[in-house]
Amino acid sequence: SIGGAAVPGFPPPDDECLHKFIFDKPFLLALASKGPNTTNSQFFITTVKTRWLDTKHAIFGKVLDGFEVVKALESLGTASGKPSNLVTIVNCGIIDV
């Protein structure tokens, strides 16, 4: 779910399937998990291999284009987790591949 609602075309991640999610490359789109039987409304995009996340969160997509945009967003990150500037995502959606 994103924003508390199910993502069309994607079932909520099944905790029994988390063992299948391997973060072995950058630019993966994943749903944050707080633990068994929970669905969080936060997602993240990896920018490097993040093997320490293996089996902990559900991967449901990947960046296909615009890698430089993801890197620009990453550059706005801070140690506190709050971006150094306002970030607004517009004109986004699901594409057929």
Side-chain angles (χ1 to χ4, degrees):
S1 77
I2 293 181
V7 177
F10 293 96
D14 181 348
D15 294 324
E16 300 297 318
C17 294
L18 284 178
H19 70 278
K20 297 178 183 178
F21 297 110
I22 306 300
F23 290 82
D24 58 350
K25 58 188 157 233
F27 302 108
L28 296 174
L29 180 61
L31 182 67
S33 174
K34 286 185 174 181
N37 301 312
T38 62
T39 302
N40 197 323
S41 294
Q42 293 182 339
F43 72 91
F44 59 92
I45 300 172
T46 61
T47 56
V48 296
K49 282 187 193 180
T50 52
R51 296 303 303 259
W52 60 90
L53 299 177
D54 288 358
T55 73
K56 293 179 177 62
H57 306 285
I59 299 168
F60 67 93
K62 63 183 178 179
V63 176
L64 300 175
D65 189 23
F67 303 104
E68 68 283 353
V69 174
V70 175
K71 286 298 201 176
L73 289 171
E74 179 185 35
S75 73
L76 298 174
T78 65
S80 72
K82 182 178 178 182
S84 59
N85 284 316
L86 176 66
V87 175
T88 304
I89 299 172
V90 296
N91 295 327
C92 64
I94 298 173
I95 60 171
D96 292 324
V97 288

